[in-house]
Amino acid sequence: MKLSLVALVLCYELVELESSAKMAPPLAPYSVKKSPSAYDSYKFELPELYREIAKEELREDDLVREQSLAEMRQWIANNPHIRKCRTDAKFLLRFLRFQKFSVPMACEALERYLVVRELYPSWFKNLDCDDPTMKEIFANAPFSVLGQDSAGRMVGLCRFARYNDQKHQPFEDGKYMAIVMETLLEWEETQIGGCQVLMDWQNISVNNLEKWSTTDLRVMMDAFSHTYPLRYGDIFSAKLPKFGVPIMDTFLSFANPKMREKINCLSTVAELAQQFEPTMMPKEYGGPVNLDELNRTFRKRVEEQREITLGLDQMEIDVEHYASVWQTASFTPDEITAGAILKRMEMN
């Protein structure tokens, strides 16, 4: 009997080891050589729904994609101000799809992305999901990825009360969202289908909003609406308390007009629940979906992509070239310079 029990335990341990071995290993970071000897080849492998969306909404087909990638890679190779940059197809397609394959606009979007990462390193660099603070925020799960809906959009649910209103600083909350956005943008489904965001403000504290300065709000909104090449569908916001209205007005003042037009304000959480597709509705809102399971699944994906996300820090751009409007060395680069550069880029 004892022998049988030992054999059973050994068998169980072997199964566990086999299961662990089958887990997806961490993905390696991409090269940041701006002019490699050879570029990666690309093959469209997503479901037909995304091919249709890409063609109808983004003007993307095999020929347009191939030509646009070649033009953008040549522009990067010839740009003296970009020192190191990813040139793999999946990364560049973030920007091409965001700008509907206008190569000049995609190049500008890439430039802005690289500059902003350098201007605000505490927000957008060293995006390490294994950092103790990031682990705490991920454990609270203020943002949940529900998956793709029937229209191919990534659906995200943000529950703001799950941000720690005492322990974590705005730049740490922002860094968490930067990790989320970088992870999502590695998925071509998100690049093509875009996203729908549902925001639940119930039970949020005064401090959770008032800890954000005007500068913090601008940096975060710039990331959402200008820097990260995310295509937004409808955005639904529910149960924002009265004390949060002035802060949100300031926050939205930094958004681009197209984003502001997409925001729908709802009075109740019940109205927000109506925006979920039935099969994607979390249990907390009356549906069948277990958010804890979804959050664990997404966290595994974040961990798998950790080295890719950290590898973005190897990219380099000559920020001083974009700071020609900033003349006085005594100013603080993190605020005055950044503001001047961003304003100039917006005007251009």
Side-chain angles (χ1 to χ4, degrees):
M1 189 70 176
K2 287 183 180 179
L3 184 61
S4 298
L5 183 59
V6 170
L8 188 62
V9 170
L10 287 173
C11 181
Y12 176 79
E13 289 178 349
L14 285 171
V15 170
E16 287 285 39
L17 287 170
E18 185 179 27
S19 176
S20 298
K22 289 181 180 178
M23 288 180 65
L27 301 171
Y30 288 89
S31 169
V32 294
K33 279 190 175 183
K34 61 177 285 183
S35 186
S37 57
Y39 294 103
D40 69 315
S41 59
Y42 176 86
K43 182 180 180 182
F44 193 96
E45 297 180 328
L46 298 180
E48 191 62 27
L49 170 64
Y50 291 99
R51 187 181 292 275
E52 293 172 1
I53 296 172
K55 179 65 175 177
E56 294 175 8
E57 298 184 14
L58 309 180
R59 302 192 289 267
E60 176 180 351
D61 59 30
D62 293 344
L63 180 59
V64 168
R65 187 191 314 112
E66 183 178 351
Q67 291 177 341
S68 299
L69 282 170
E71 290 177 27
M72 195 168 183
R73 284 165 169 164
Q74 190 62 52
W75 175 83
I76 292 170
N78 294 339
N79 190 326
H81 308 298
I82 294 179
R83 295 165 180 158
K84 295 180 182 179
C85 185
R86 278 176 58 176
T87 58
D88 57 282
K90 194 193 315 187
F91 179 72
L92 298 185
L93 284 170
R94 293 183 181 191
F95 304 95
L96 287 166
R97 285 164 171 158
F98 181 59
Q99 297 294 357
K100 298 184 179 181
F101 285 84
S102 166
V103 175
M105 293 178 69
C107 291
E108 288 179 13
L110 171 61
E111 228 167 7
R112 182 186 185 92
Y113 168 85
L114 294 174
V115 167
V116 170
R117 281 176 50 83
E118 295 296 330
L119 290 174
Y120 299 104
S122 61
W123 292 71
F124 303 119
K125 299 190 82 171
N126 190 30
L127 302 178
D128 190 355
C129 62
D130 284 349
D131 175 83
T133 299
M134 294 302 104
K135 283 186 173 183
E136 289 177 357
I137 301 176
F138 269 103
N140 292 338
F143 189 87
S144 298
V145 177
L146 305 183
Q148 271 71 33
D149 65 11
S150 58
R153 300 172 300 185
M154 184 282 296
V155 180
L157 170 65
C158 190
R159 296 176 290 170
F160 289 93
R162 300 182 75 86
Y163 284 107
N164 191 304
D165 64 348
Q166 300 289 334
K167 190 173 183 181
H168 302 139
Q169 299 300 309
F171 80 89
E172 292 170 324
D173 291 342
K175 179 171 280 192
Y176 159 78
M177 280 307 303
I179 294 174
V180 170
M181 289 188 285
E182 291 290 2
T183 302
L184 291 174
L185 283 167
E186 286 294 324
W187 305 354
E188 290 188 79
E189 294 91 338
T190 304
Q191 295 179 9
I192 295 173
C195 61
Q196 180 186 55
V197 181
L198 298 97
M199 301 186 292
D200 184 348
W201 297 91
Q202 65 178 329
N203 301 322
I204 193 168
S205 69
V206 173
N207 192 57
N208 225 330
L209 291 173
E210 290 189 345
K211 71 179 184 178
W212 289 76
S213 70
T214 301
T215 299
D216 295 331
L217 294 172
R218 174 170 183 162
V219 172
M220 197 70 251
M221 180 51 79
D222 184 85
F224 284 134
S225 69
H226 297 287
T227 301
Y228 279 95
L230 280 168
R231 300 179 59 240
Y232 291 96
D234 289 327
I235 300 171
F236 295 96
S237 176
K239 205 67 176 176
L240 177 67
K242 289 183 178 179
F243 62 77
V245 172
I247 296 171
M248 286 308 299
D249 284 344
T250 302
F251 187 49
L252 293 176
S253 72
F254 300 123
N256 64 54
K258 288 184 178 180
M259 172 175 275
R260 287 198 293 268
E261 291 173 2
K262 295 177 183 293
I263 297 174
N264 303 274
C265 296
L266 308 174
S267 301
T268 66
V269 173
E271 290 177 276
L272 184 69
Q274 294 174 12
Q275 310 308 319
F276 294 101
E277 289 190 357
T279 57
M280 302 182 75
M281 185 184 295
K283 290 180 179 178
E284 289 83 347
Y285 299 85
V289 175
N290 186 321
L291 277 182
D292 290 337
E293 289 182 5
L294 283 184
N295 292 332
R296 283 194 293 270
T297 299
F298 181 67
R299 178 64 195 274
K300 287 180 182 177
R301 189 68 176 263
V302 169
E303 291 169 350
E304 288 171 12
Q305 293 182 194
R306 176 176 177 268
E307 294 301 323
I308 291 178
T309 303
L310 288 172
L312 296 167
D313 290 355
Q314 302 305 311
M315 298 190 293
E316 294 180 11
I317 191 168
D318 181 6
V319 177
E320 290 186 5
H321 166 71
Y322 301 93
S324 59
V325 293
W326 175 52
Q327 301 293 335
T328 308
S330 60
F331 287 161
T332 304
D334 201 37
E335 292 194 19
I336 297 177
T337 308
I341 293 173
L342 294 179
K343 185 175 181 181
R344 181 185 176 207
M345 293 179 78
E346 286 166 5
M347 288 189 295
N348 292 339

